[in-house]
Amino acid sequence: MKTFAEVIEYLFARLPMFTRDGASAINPDVDKTLLLCQALGNPHQKFKSIHIAGTNGKGSSSHMLASVLAASKLKTGLYTSPHLVDFRERIRIDGKMIPEQLVVDFVNDHRELIEDLKPSFFEVTVAMAFDYFAKEKVDIAVIEVGLGGRLDSTNIILPELCLITNIGMDHMNILGDTLEQIAGEKAGIIKPHVPVVISEKQTEIEHVFINKAKEGDSPIFFAEDYYEVHQVEKKQTGLDITVESKTTKECLTWQLDLSGSYQKKNILGVLTAIDQLKELGYELAEEDIREGLSNVQESTGLRGRWQTLSTDPWIICDTGHNEDGIKAVVRNLSTLNFNNLHFIIGAMKDKDLSHILPLLPKQATYYFAAPQMPRAMKAADLAELAHSFGLKGQEYASIDEAYEATLKNYQEGDLIFIGGSTFVVAEVLTNHF
């Protein structure tokens, strides 16, 4: 295979892929990832890392930490998933995506191994990232869990630090149908003697993390025991969040270029993680932390987190797609002033929407459509279910048609919102931005 496009088509077409195929694409252990990495010389053992899990907030937290580390002059790897527009978004060093030629070379060099082991798409991507970070000799890599934690392919690393963000109801068909079961899967990234930071203390499940940390004598830090948000001020460029240190009683205002109100939870975990990295000997100066937090989007390429795509027409997108994510979307919408809300929405057919659709504003006009993938719920099925919860709108043959319809119906003072699924946002970004 000579071109990047050929290689990506090969990976997409040949390998089981969760975003397309659902739970059947997931191998129930890390064995194939270990075999892949053994064949590559165990690259995951050749660089330092931070491991981040959680239902919501792990993506934003990963990007914030990576931005701070890069601003501190550390060569910083970043592995995240899924991508929105370009496969290479998943694998970055200091914000720059892995070169296309290296993706081509990796797949060509290891094609026989891939076809012999038959790993999932995600397993190959993880191995590619680890191989790249090792060869480029990163100082540290921020590794975001794909799904769950305990059995996730990324969970072969021995990190410097673990960070677990919010725990919510998502992927229940895989992770369990209670918060305690889901927390147990996320807690699976906690390693013996490795410090773990918990961004959000949730009373009903905190014992899951405490018990897991005790098993391996892992120091555990609940962020709200160390920091408290005093004030959040929305700015045109993001948020100003005033945070008090419960240790020093000092109040500092941090400027974020991320706009979602849920960042006030994420920043507590990020600041606590930074403190633990300092304890481990990392030199992270306040001015570098400030620079990192105020330039997350530019320095890491983060997109789709309460992102304003256009001001005329006014268009906002957000990848929130589970109960807690949609609650955050609705809270953010409630802070804005607009006349009519045009809401483009799609969903995956393996999602339990009975906990999500009742949360959505009934006064909006909905544009129901399906992303172009087998896992997507048909627009007609989504519309029928949404109508049963009092949501009004029409179905469309594609995300593009839904988007064009919103532009046609938009009037000055209105807001177009795009969400419900990462893949709805990805299609609009790919085709229109």
Side-chain angles (χ1 to χ4, degrees), residues 121-406:
F121 175 89
F122 189 77
E123 287 166 331
V124 170
T125 308
V126 167
M128 185 188 300
F130 291 174
D131 186 63
Y132 180 51
F133 295 155
K135 285 178 176 172
E136 291 296 315
K137 296 182 170 58
V138 298
D139 295 315
I140 193 164
V142 178
I143 308 295
E144 179 195 13
V145 165
L147 194 154
R150 181 175 64 93
L151 300 176
D152 190 75
S153 299
T154 63
N155 202 29
I156 66 171
I157 59 175
L158 180 60
E160 299 276 280
L161 175 73
C162 296
L163 171 63
I164 300 174
T165 61
N166 153 284
I167 304 298
M169 301 301 286
D170 197 12
H171 302 298
M172 287 89 81
N173 58 324
I174 299 167
L175 302 179
D177 55 11
T178 67
L179 276 183
E180 188 167 7
Q181 287 175 321
I182 294 170
E185 291 298 317
K186 310 286 186 185
I189 72 166
I190 299 174
K191 304 294 193 304
H193 311 295
V194 174
V196 56
V197 171
I198 312 295
S199 291
E200 184 180 349
K201 185 182 279 188
Q202 296 167 264
T203 309
E204 66 271 38
I205 54 170
E206 63 181 283
H207 65 279
V208 175
F209 302 119
I210 292 169
N211 292 341
K212 180 64 177 176
K214 276 182 182 173
E215 280 177 25
D217 197 22
S218 308
I220 185 167
F221 305 90
F222 288 92
E224 72 175 55
D225 292 341
Y226 298 89
Y227 289 101
E228 181 180 2
V229 172
H230 275 233
Q231 185 177 335
V232 180
E233 187 178 351
K234 279 186 176 284
K235 298 281 189 174
Q236 198 166 10
T237 53
L239 298 173
D240 283 2
I241 304 183
T242 302
V243 178
E244 180 186 358
S245 165
K246 293 185 176 181
T247 307
T248 66
K249 304 303 178 186
E250 182 180 23
C251 271
L252 294 174
T253 299
W254 303 96
Q255 296 176 331
L256 270 66
D257 66 338
L258 306 178
S259 301
S261 62
Y262 43 77
Q263 302 302 350
K264 67 184 180 185
K265 293 182 179 180
N266 294 333
I267 195 170
L268 298 184
V270 168
L271 290 174
T272 308
I274 288 168
D275 287 345
Q276 291 312 307
L277 288 170
K278 288 179 180 177
E279 289 291 321
L280 292 169
Y282 289 87
E283 295 182 10
L284 307 173
E286 184 181 316
E287 60 266 29
D288 295 329
I289 299 168
R290 289 192 176 281
E291 182 186 338
L293 292 176
S294 63
N295 291 291
V296 177
Q297 293 181 78
E298 184 180 349
S299 69
T300 67
L302 177 64
R303 300 178 75 187
R305 270 56 165 208
W306 199 254
Q307 182 182 0
T308 299
L309 300 177
S310 168
T311 54
D312 186 19
W314 190 13
I315 304 174
I316 294 175
C317 70
D318 191 89
T319 54
H321 56 273
N322 51 46
E323 186 175 346
D324 287 333
I326 294 298
K327 282 179 180 176
V329 163
V330 173
R331 279 196 301 272
N332 283 326
L333 287 170
S334 71
T335 67
L336 304 177
N337 294 312
F338 48 80
N339 295 331
N340 300 300
L341 175 60
H342 306 270
F343 199 126
I344 300 173
I345 186 169
M348 298 297 104
K349 59 189 174 188
D350 53 9
K351 284 282 178 193
D352 179 3
L353 298 181
S354 63
H355 294 286
I356 292 174
L357 293 175
L359 302 171
L360 296 174
K362 290 183 171 55
Q363 66 273 24
T365 301
Y366 289 87
Y367 300 71
F368 304 104
Q372 293 183 322
M373 56 174 52
R375 236 183 99 218
M377 178 179 284
K378 291 178 181 176
D381 294 341
L382 178 58
E384 183 180 358
L385 187 57
H387 292 157
S388 73
F389 289 104
L391 305 181
K392 298 178 176 62
Q394 289 182 248
E395 63 194 74
Y396 293 85
S398 67
I399 299 296
D400 271 358
E401 284 193 26
Y403 178 72
E404 295 298 336
T406 62

